[in-house]
Amino acid sequence: MSKKIMILLIGIVVLNFFSLYIYNTNKNTSKISTDDKNIIAEIPEANIRLYYKKEESGMYKDFVLEIDKKKYFFYWKNTTNPVYNPKLILSDLNQDGYKEIIVILTKNIGTEVNVQEVHVIEINTMIEREVENPIHIIYKNVKTKLSSEQIEITINNNIKILDKEYIDIEPQNLLKDIAFGNVIKFEVEENKLYAVIPAQIASSSFVGNIKIKYIFQGKMYVMETIDFIPIEL
C-alpha cells in the first residue's frame, strides 16, 4: 500500500471518529420524534422549541431542544406544575458575538421551596457549558452569624450587620444560623447570568438575597461578583 493511500485512510478514520464524537457530544437526535402537544417553551422568532418526552411522578423528563428543526436530547427534569414551566432565554453571556441558549428549569417546589437549575448552551456549537453551583459559591465566600439581637453576614471580609428590626421572631423559632438553598433562582440581565438565593432565618422568614453574577472563564461560568442585598423594611 502506498504512503499516500495510507495517509488518506488514516485521515478518513480520524474524520469519522471526530464526526462521531461531535454527534455524541451535541446529542443531535434529528430523527427523534416530537409531538407539538409536548412543547413546553419556545422562542418562535428564533425557531427554538423545547419538548418533553415523558411525564412521570409529577415531573417532565427527557427533553428535546429543537433549533431550526435540528433536535438535541437532554436528560433534564422539570416539575409539571405549569406555574414553573421552563424558561428559554437568548443572550450573549460570554461576549463572543454569538447568543447562548439559557434554559432555566424548576427541579423542586414545595412549602418555602423553589429550586431552579440552569443550563447554558452555545448556539453555534451546541456545547453545554457548566455553571458553578451557587450554593458551593456561598459556602466558599460567605460566613454568617445569627442571634436574637443581630444578623452578621461576611462576604470576602466585607461585613454587613442587620439589627434587631430584621428579627421580628421569637428566639425559640430562629434557626441556629442563616440557611441557604431552599430557594435558588436564576435570571439574565443585560447579557449577564445571575443566581439569587434568599437568606432564611426561620420558617417563612427571609432577610435578603445573596446575588451572584457569573462570568465565562476557561470552559465554564464562575462567580464574578457576590453581594448580599437586604430586604426593604
Side-chain angles (χ1 to χ4, degrees):
M1 184 180 295
S2 70
K3 187 175 181 180
K4 287 184 178 180
I5 294 176
M6 179 66 73
I7 293 173
L8 179 60
L9 289 174
I10 292 173
I12 291 171
V13 170
V14 170
L15 181 61
N16 287 339
F17 177 83
F18 182 76
S19 299
L20 181 60
Y21 172 79
I22 293 297
Y23 177 87
N24 289 332
T25 300
N26 289 348
K27 304 180 181 67
N28 188 338
T29 56
S30 297
K31 294 181 180 180
I32 195 169
S33 62
T34 50
D35 189 334
D36 285 352
K37 292 185 296 183
N38 291 359
I39 295 175
I40 198 168
E42 61 181 327
I43 307 176
E45 63 274 18
N47 292 319
I48 297 173
R49 294 174 180 82
L50 184 67
Y51 302 79
Y52 67 90
K53 294 296 293 178
K54 60 184 179 182
E55 183 179 343
E56 210 172 74
S57 304
M59 301 292 289
Y60 294 125
K61 297 181 179 180
D62 299 349
F63 283 82
V64 175
L65 186 61
E66 181 182 271
I67 306 168
D68 288 329
K69 297 186 178 180
K70 292 182 179 180
K71 299 171 185 177
Y72 304 85
F73 181 83
F74 298 90
Y75 289 105
W76 294 338
K77 296 180 182 179
N78 193 91
T79 176
T80 56
N81 187 323
V83 175
Y84 304 99
N85 276 353
K87 297 177 184 178
L88 293 179
I89 301 169
L90 277 177
S91 183
D92 185 9
L93 296 183
N94 62 9
Q95 308 298 309
D96 67 348
Y98 298 95
K99 289 185 176 180
E100 283 72 55
I101 303 174
I102 300 94
V103 184
I104 299 175
L105 306 173
T106 300
K107 297 290 294 295
N108 194 8
I109 57 172
T111 305
E112 300 177 19
V113 174
N114 184 353
V115 178
Q116 293 183 341
E117 177 181 276
V118 69
H119 299 271
V120 178
I121 299 167
E122 295 179 353
I123 198 168
N124 58 323
T125 64
M126 288 307 296
I127 293 174
E128 181 173 358
R129 296 300 185 182
E130 183 181 354
V131 177
E132 188 175 4
N133 188 315
I135 300 302
H136 293 170
I137 292 173
I138 289 174
Y139 286 156
K140 290 188 290 185
N141 295 277
V142 180
K143 295 181 180 179
T144 62
K145 292 181 182 179
L146 175 62
S147 73
S148 58
E149 298 298 320
Q150 72 174 27
I151 299 166
E152 182 178 308
I153 298 177
T154 304
I155 300 178
N156 297 328
N157 299 319
N158 181 18
I159 301 175
K160 289 187 178 181
I161 303 293
L162 303 182
D163 57 29
K164 198 169 182 178
E165 65 179 336
Y166 279 86
I167 314 170
D168 187 19
I169 297 165
E170 294 297 324
Q172 66 269 21
N173 294 328
L174 278 177
L175 299 174
K176 292 182 179 180
D177 202 350
I178 296 177
F180 300 99
N182 283 335
V183 179
I184 301 173
K185 295 186 176 182
F186 292 92
E187 56 190 39
V188 176
E189 299 174 5
E190 298 180 348
N191 292 320
K192 286 290 185 178
L193 176 66
Y194 293 86
V196 179
I197 302 94
Q200 186 172 8
I201 62 170
S203 178
S204 302
S205 184
F206 299 86
V207 295
N209 296 307
I210 295 289
K211 190 167 185 178
I212 299 166
K213 179 166 69 172
Y214 286 91
I215 189 171
F216 187 68
Q217 194 173 86
K219 295 182 179 181
M220 66 182 294
Y221 289 87
V222 297
M223 182 193 79
E224 181 177 9
T225 62
I226 181 170
D227 296 293
F228 173 71
I229 304 168
I231 60 172
E232 294 184 6
L233 297 178

